[in-house]
Amino acid sequence: MKILITGAAGFIGFHLVKRLLDTDYEITGLDNLNSYYDVNLKYDRLKQCGIFTWERARLVKSEQHLNYQFVEADLQNHTLLTGLFQSEKFDIVVNLAAQAGVRYSIENPHSYVESNITGFLNILEGCRHNNVKHLIYASSSSVYGTNEKMPFKTSDRVDNPVSLYAASKKSNELMAHTYSHLFNIPTTGLRFFTVYGPWGRPDMALFLFTKAMIEGEKIDVFNFGEMARDFTYVGDIVEGIYRLLPLAPKSELNRMQDSKPPYQLFNIGYGSPVRLMDFISEIEKNLGIKADKNFMSIQPGDVPKTWADVDDLFSLTDFKPKVSIKQGVKNFIEWYLDYFDISLMKNIS
């Protein structure tokens, strides 16, 4: 089976590539290596997979893994993407490429439309014209917006996004449903819940808090600490995706003999929220440093709590996330200290 993974130098995409390197999948990774955050982290992720050189619009073979090749390209490049789909004849596409970040979307709205909507349309067109057997794409827990009913279920209405990022992800779900309905493309949407772990993004809380605490700086604690997130370890996220790869949805007829498109949507989270202050406490324990906290009001685009109902995903895949916040934070801190070559004397009081 030939598989395209977009966002292959990104946080989740990198971990998915790593998960598949020792399988029989023939993998093509795609990433535009943009500078939303430190590109050196993206370069180092590529090197972990045997990609040591790259250039725009050219497929490069891994020097360590015969089943992996990588291309630096933008999803908005319709001509290049069309040629790639036609030449490679992918069986499965996992679209993880996107302009990420809730708060960044307030300052840079155009990049979200270009990457998350125009880019996704190009993916859908590539699947439509090249007989792709399964498209899996990243949505987000942010689509739940101001929903107050907990835990969040995929059957809940999601008509109240509070950021353009959330609106772009909801747009992806609607676009995928349309293509499933019109062209019978099997699509699976995944609403990710606060993914964290080694090789994580520098703009996310765990990375930001760890860096600030080591450097003796204050950490910004929003909503005066009254926040909770369904933190989900990246290894669990990747295992969920891996199990879904062969489970493409099928068209069905209902009792009225109306056709149901091959479309499915899942939450993918740990399944229980963790208080932000407890999360910070785990970082403190692992670093041996007491955080100097700057309590602030909630930021535009943020929500106070997320909580995923994952029963549907578990029923289909027989898999539930297993890595606790205690173990997950420990794994991240160990990676961070090793990656940045930092030694600490733990002296927390």
Side-chain angles (χ1 to χ4, degrees):
M1 298 286 280
K2 300 186 76 172
I3 183 169
L4 170 66
I5 300 173
T6 71
F11 176 32
I12 302 172
F14 155 71
H15 280 281
L16 181 59
V17 170
K18 290 270 286 182
R19 174 67 176 83
L20 295 177
L21 288 176
D22 294 326
T23 69
D24 292 332
Y25 284 104
E26 294 182 36
I27 312 158
T28 298
L30 180 149
D31 201 292
N32 68 357
L33 302 176
N34 70 22
S35 58
Y36 170 62
Y37 59 82
D38 185 4
V39 292
N40 289 309
L41 184 58
K42 299 179 183 182
Y43 298 161
D44 288 340
R45 291 177 185 144
L46 287 176
K47 291 171 184 176
Q48 289 285 309
C49 300
I51 304 294
F52 297 98
T53 60
W54 50 86
E55 61 183 72
R56 298 289 291 180
R58 187 175 74 85
L59 284 166
V60 176
K61 295 283 187 181
S62 170
E63 296 181 20
Q64 298 172 349
H65 302 279
L66 296 176
N67 63 333
Y68 184 46
Q69 60 182 356
F70 174 79
V71 60
E72 181 188 356
D74 293 308
L75 288 189
Q76 303 95 291
N77 189 332
H78 175 69
T79 301
L80 182 143
L81 214 59
T82 298
L84 185 66
F85 270 88
Q86 289 174 347
S87 64
E88 296 300 317
K89 301 298 181 188
F90 301 113
D91 298 292
I92 300 172
V93 174
V94 182
N95 184 53
L96 300 172
Q99 179 57 63
V102 169
R103 294 164 189 161
Y104 188 74
S105 67
I106 296 171
E107 303 164 9
N108 299 274
H110 291 285
S111 63
Y112 287 78
V113 174
E114 293 162 1
S115 296
N116 300 4
I117 297 180
T118 301
F120 189 59
L121 176 62
N122 289 337
I123 289 289
L124 288 168
E125 281 289 290
C127 293
R128 170 191 175 188
H129 293 292
N130 294 278
N131 195 33
V132 170
K133 299 175 180 65
H134 193 190
L135 167 63
I136 299 175
Y137 62 94
S139 185
S140 169
S141 62
S142 65
V143 302
Y144 289 105
T146 56
N147 281 20
E148 295 180 355
K149 175 176 163 287
M150 298 283 174
F152 296 152
K153 295 177 178 286
T154 54
S155 57
D156 295 342
R157 294 183 66 89
V158 286
D159 301 328
N160 304 294
V162 294
S163 70
L164 185 62
Y165 173 71
S168 73
K169 287 302 183 180
K170 178 58 180 173
S171 297
N172 287 174
E173 296 177 5
L174 296 172
M175 293 163 73
H177 187 279
T178 301
Y179 271 69
S180 291
H181 173 77
L182 290 175
F183 309 114
N184 208 41
I185 300 169
T187 65
T188 298
L190 297 175
R191 292 175 176 172
F192 293 134
F193 279 72
T194 315
V195 188
Y196 75 100
W199 296 95
R201 293 196 343 242
D203 64 319
M204 298 192 73
L206 181 51
F207 205 115
L208 289 170
F209 289 169
T210 300
K211 182 176 186 293
M213 289 162 66
I214 289 172
E215 295 176 358
E217 298 178 355
K218 286 188 174 184
I219 63 171
D220 292 334
V221 181
F222 294 105
N223 205 33
F224 305 100
E226 294 299 318
M227 305 272 278
R229 288 289 182 269
D230 199 335
F231 292 101
T232 314
Y233 189 68
V234 65
D236 285 333
I237 289 282
V238 164
E239 184 62 25
I241 297 172
Y242 175 74
R243 294 194 185 200
L244 282 165
L245 293 176
L247 301 178
K250 296 178 173 60
S251 297
E252 299 175 4
L253 289 175
N254 62 23
R255 288 180 297 177
M256 304 298 292
Q257 297 299 300
D258 293 325
S259 177
K260 176 181 176 295
Y263 172 90
Q264 58 189 3
L265 189 63
F266 298 104
N267 290 330
I268 184 164
Y270 188 76
S272 63
V274 173
R275 292 178 61 250
L276 178 59
M277 298 307 294
D278 293 337
F279 184 65
I280 294 170
S281 178
E282 284 299 326
I283 304 172
E284 291 176 326
K285 289 175 188 175
N286 280 275
L287 289 177
I289 299 171
K290 194 73 173 175
D292 187 3
K293 305 174 188 72
N294 179 33
F295 290 99
M296 303 172 68
S297 59
I298 196 167
Q299 284 202 320
D302 270 354
V303 296
K305 184 177 181 179
T306 64
W307 180 4
D309 183 315
V310 295
D311 288 347
D312 289 347
L313 181 64
F314 178 69
S315 296
L316 181 65
T317 64
D318 194 31
F319 172 74
K320 272 188 176 180
K322 297 176 175 62
V323 179
S324 67
I325 199 74
K326 182 177 181 178
Q327 185 62 52
V329 169
K330 180 176 184 290
N331 292 350
F332 173 83
I333 298 295
E334 288 176 351
W335 167 80
Y336 187 96
L337 297 178
D338 178 67
Y339 182 76
F340 291 104
D341 194 21
I342 297 170
S343 295
L344 292 176
M345 292 293 292
K346 294 190 177 183
N347 59 358
I348 192 169
S349 58

